[in-house]
Amino acid sequence: MDEEYDVIVLGTGLTECILSGIMSVNGKKVLHMDRNPYYGGESSSITPLEELYKRFEIPDGPSESMGRGRDWNVDLIPKFLMANGQLVKMLLYTEVTRYLDFKVVEGSFVYKGGKIYKVPSTETEALASNLMGMFEKRRFRKFLVFVANFDENDSKTFEGVDPKSTTMRDVYKKFDLGQDVIDFTGHALALYRTDDYLDQPCLETINRIKLYSESLARYGKSPYLYPLYGLGELPQGFARLSAIYGGTYMLNKCVDEIVMEKGKVVGVKSEGEVARCKQLICDPSYVSDRVRKAGQVIRVICVLSHPIKNTNDANSCQIIIPQNQVNRKSDIYVCMISYAHNVAAQGKYIAIVSTTVETTEPEKEIEPALELLEPIDQKFVAISDLYEPTEDGSESQVFCSRSYDATTHFETTCNDIKDIYKRMTGTDFDFENMKRKQNDVYGEEDQ
């Protein structure tokens, strides 16, 4: 271990594994360590089921009705991939897709007045939806057509909207959309967690709705994908990529000290040896003195023996409960997957509820979501602190990732990855460049 590396990475969460893969592809010499004996850190999938009961300190362990323990792979952090989103691009461009298999999530639903409805995101669905009255449907359809045709580089498509100064609130007014439609557009299509976006320039919201529609167009049922055998497969896929390019991995390796000289990182000390480095990437748990607490997330893993009511017996779905519907500041999310994804025993479903904590009684906050899931065979409740780095790493060359937030997709995680990449290298992360480097190693794809 007494060697010199360009980059040392601590922790094998998804953010760390993607960055380690990218740095290795870019020709950097990478050492990747984790104090745990397994990959994934906070974003791992737990198997067998007995291990999950131990982790949550549930004394009796799973009953026989839960089937074989090893048939389970339970994500600690529930997220789906947007079919046209940044993570899928990273997977395709780094060819990590060769290690993974995905299934489309069967439906996306939104909560209104105690019931759930399918999210309408195409003109046809909008006209057939029960979420809106007849006139509202026509106005919403006009809005969807406007978004689909919108091109920030072509002012002919603006229809009097200035993408950099018109707020989203004003765009909704222009199309005369009512509060319920605004709720599901902002939260179930643009996937915002709060309503702060309403007074921001509309360009980002329009692009988010476009991403949703384009992702939906790829596979038809929903815009989301999910890997077979659980999300724990993702960090491992990127770890393999790093290894192909000469990255070194050490699991079960405790970190005694991050060695600094004159305020700059020079290495990591473990079991008496020092590995030297120029830059360090890590998750917040390795540098408690360089992060601050920025809130909490509650996640409740629920094991069910039935699909969720009113979802057409979908074996996977997402439900978004917009904050306005339950008098909150942030949305509540439900991600549901099942035996169809090789993450649960035959006939079993896993629904994970998550939201940003707003009160001193987080479990009360998620009751509206739990009511949709009844009866629940077993619940596992986790309340996690959210951390963010207190410095940008330019002086210390220590680059710390953010904790995984309550959103049910990976777009915010990808933004963090691109942000860290830019701070480390001084250049924007370039998907196309990754592709070219891959071709140098694997040869051009067969035409």
Side-chain angles (χ1 to χ4, degrees), residues 150-169:
F150 194 91
D151 176 356
E152 60 188 289
N153 303 315
D154 178 1
S155 57
K156 288 195 206 68
T157 65
F158 289 6
E159 295 186 25
V161 169
D162 180 338
K164 293 197 170 66
S165 65
T166 309
T167 65
M168 200 58 210
R169 197 184 291 277

Side-chain angles (χ1 to χ4, degrees), residues 212-332:
Y212 188 99
S213 305
E214 286 160 8
S215 296
L216 184 78
R218 302 247 337 227
Y219 300 105
K221 285 182 178 171
S222 85
Y224 304 108
L225 301 174
Y226 182 82
L228 292 182
Y229 300 104
L231 295 173
E233 296 293 295
L234 289 169
Q236 291 188 50
F238 282 98
R240 286 181 194 145
L241 175 76
S242 177
I244 289 174
Y245 285 87
T248 306
Y249 272 78
M250 295 180 179
L251 292 178
N252 230 349
K253 194 91 173 125
C254 64
V255 174
D256 303 329
E257 185 192 347
I258 293 170
V259 186
M260 308 292 289
E261 276 174 22
K262 296 181 186 155
K264 195 167 179 266
V265 68
V266 291
V268 172
K269 188 175 183 185
S270 171
E271 296 162 8
E273 296 182 306
V274 175
R276 300 185 73 76
C277 67
K278 301 183 184 100
Q279 293 182 307
L280 179 88
I281 300 170
C282 62
D283 71 44
S285 68
Y286 288 89
V287 284
S288 50
D289 55 335
R290 293 174 187 272
V291 293
R292 64 171 158 252
K293 187 173 160 184
Q296 287 186 313
V297 173
I298 177 168
R299 298 184 176 96
V300 182
I301 300 169
C302 304
V303 174
L304 319 176
S305 298
H306 57 89
I308 299 171
K309 291 182 200 72
N310 306 321
T311 61
N312 301 329
D313 292 348
N315 62 32
S316 57
C317 67
Q318 168 176 270
I319 303 168
I320 292 178
I321 303 180
Q323 28 77 298
N324 269 338
Q325 293 288 329
V326 281
N327 298 321
R328 292 172 49 77
K329 291 193 196 73
S330 44
D331 295 355
I332 304 173

Side-chain angles (χ1 to χ4, degrees), residues 48-50 64 66-72 344-345:
L49 188 60
E50 290 74 9
E64 278 192 17
M66 293 289 185
R68 285 189 315 187
R70 63 175 181 278
D71 287 344
W72 294 79

Side-chain angles (χ1 to χ4, degrees), residues 361-377:
E361 297 183 274
E363 286 194 58
K364 266 220 168 93
E365 296 182 42
I366 51 153
E367 275 175 5
L370 295 179
E371 281 166 16
L372 298 174
L373 307 179
E374 294 291 352
I376 298 167
D377 299 350

